[in-house]
Amino acid sequence: MFIPNDTLLKKYAQVMVLYALNNGQGIKKGDTVFLVGQECSKPLYLAIAGEIYAAGGNIITYYQPDDIRGQSMPRLLLETGSDEQIGFFAKPYWQGAVDAVDHILFIIAEPDIHAFEGLPSSKISRMNSARAPYMAMREKKEQAGKLSWTLCLYGTQSMADEAGLLLEDYWEQIIEACYLRDDNPVQKWRQVQQEIETIKDKLDALPIEKLFIKGEAVDLTIKIGDNRKWLSGGGKNIPSFEIFTSPDWRGTEGFIRFNQPLYYSGKRIAGVSLKFKAGVVVESSATENEDALKEMIAQENADKVGEFSLTDKRHSRITKFMATTLFDENMGGEYGNTHIALGNAYKDTYPGDMMKISEEEWAAMGYNSCPKVHTDIISTDNRTVTALLKDGAEKIIYKDGEFVI
């Protein structure tokens, strides 16, 4: 089994603690971090813990046994639990956890990427939906500027097998994507983030009414809507090279086919095609696990767009399919990538004070509300993105995998 050496793990941990948390600023002395990971991620988990303590932070651990078939707590619940048990949510516990922490750091690591194989999608969706109140708690504290979160990836044999790569080659993608061979990867990330911010600022300066996304596999219109700004990862994901916004869902029209699979509720969904009319998915299909796709879309407001994103290939060193959204939505390669998310919108794309906006006002602005679902679906096919400006002029903003503004 391949395990990165201590030097690489230390650099990885420093990126997460000294850059990624606190929205790209790193933690402060006295901050408390909710650190989430499975047993298989232990080498990185301990490295991150060491950097948190070295920075003067505190840790609340959420260290889980490996989720593998035959020894999976969630699978045991899904196979033997009643509907009430599957939908159980310990509100006081999770409210206390959110109240107690300043930051949340998740280590994504799948020891068995098919741990839920053979289980009904409806049960998996019910289990996932039970966490919606927790996500709402987090969102409320984040909107108040009192909580940050970030994600990173620890490669496993199961994930490498799913991606069709040797484990060492899988890790090579992680190492390159996170700049872990640089002498100072924290400084490198800040430099790259500044370059991405420059593009983002140019997009914000354009009075964009709509975007037209055209290519062999896409003919889609996205309405940006008023009271929107573009965002970049800013530490929320490592790696993150995307620039995204939460469009006005009501103005989505046309079709898009996705050439990258997604993973939802432990199932691989491939060959996804979507058709939108008046902002709503009116046709959907998949060549693999279509039932899981339709189960997801059937949830309230999961048939509407919550995010539109583009990645510039000049920043991303990810060149391989990695079988996890965190990396696949940031793929560079020949044409960069486009992805949209069905479900919940990111309210921090609002340029003003989020805390002053009521639910009715969010709805009036076309921000989609779907706490149960935010699922990214990715295409790396070539496409040209043209902006229709509010004065009626058109301007190409993205072509051949690069921003051209």
Side-chain angles (χ1 to χ4, degrees), residues 16 19-21 23-24 149-151 193 232-238 240:
M16 301 311 301
Y19 167 71
L21 288 175
N23 300 311
W149 55 267
T150 190
L151 313 172
Q193 181 61 29
S232 59
K236 285 186 176 177
N237 293 340
I238 295 296
S240 181

Side-chain angles (χ1 to χ4, degrees), residues 78-111:
L78 291 166
E79 288 179 332
T80 65
S82 65
D83 283 350
E84 290 75 18
Q85 289 172 308
I86 292 172
F88 172 71
F89 178 73
K91 183 177 180 179
Y93 172 87
W94 288 109
Q95 186 65 67
V98 172
D99 290 344
V101 303
D102 303 291
H103 315 287
I104 305 173
L105 198 163
F106 300 88
I107 302 174
I108 297 172
E110 297 290 350

Side-chain angles (χ1 to χ4, degrees), residues 181-197:
R181 288 206 175 89
D182 279 59
D183 291 338
N184 189 336
V186 171
Q187 183 179 7
K188 175 67 174 179
W189 267 110
R190 289 183 175 142
Q191 173 198 327
V192 169
Q193 181 61 29
Q194 185 55 54
E195 293 173 5
I196 294 172
E197 288 285 323

